[in-house]
Amino acid sequence: MDIRIHASFLPHDDPDAALAFYRDILGFEVRNDVGYGGMRWITVGPADQPGTSIVLTPPGADPGVTDDERRTIAEMMAKGTYAGIVLASADVDGTFERVQAGGAEVVQEPTDQPYGVRDCAFRDPAGNMVRIQQPS
């Protein structure tokens, strides 16, 4: 079977702040930026991985989501408990310094974990947990 990860979705509540984080701080390329009905979907990804993307999406944009659910999503995003992603870097310490210098909210400085990776964690502008790991 030939199955790969093509895209993962993360919510954003400020498209310009999301672009500043994912494009300007993390260095991802913008692959698509689509507006519809006052909302924006922005697709980003590493330049050397054209087949793998992150779609930054308006939270609760699905027409099946109720107003109560949208409020819950907004509350969870504000707490940083709604969504997250794990990225990898060959130099987690250098990556940490770059992301921290870009003004991202630090959740965890680089730490050697008992499960065999060194990692750090940030919150993106929407509150999503962004964990960056350096496999051993």
Side-chain angles (χ1 to χ4, degrees), residues 32-68:
N32 211 353
D33 189 340
V34 177
Y36 177 78
M39 297 178 281
R40 277 172 74 188
W41 287 258
I42 304 164
T43 304
V44 298
D48 64 346
Q49 296 178 45
T52 304
S53 299
I54 300 169
V55 182
L56 305 169
T57 182
D62 185 313
V65 176
T66 67
D67 288 340
D68 285 341

Side-chain angles (χ1 to χ4, degrees), residues 71-136:
R71 279 190 290 281
T72 299
I73 291 168
E75 290 169 5
M76 291 178 73
M77 285 175 64
K79 288 176 31 180
T81 59
Y82 185 66
I85 193 163
V86 178
L87 306 174
S89 171
D91 177 16
V92 77
D93 293 280
T95 301
F96 175 84
E97 289 176 14
R98 178 177 166 194
V99 176
Q100 182 182 37
E105 178 188 344
V106 175
V107 174
Q108 175 201 304
E109 294 190 7
T111 304
D112 291 322
Q113 300 292 355
Y115 44 88
V117 300
R118 182 167 179 78
D119 71 357
C120 62
F122 296 92
R123 291 207 192 287
D124 76 4
N128 299 308
M129 178 70 70
V130 177
R131 185 163 290 282
I132 303 171
Q133 297 184 337
Q134 178 179 322
S136 48

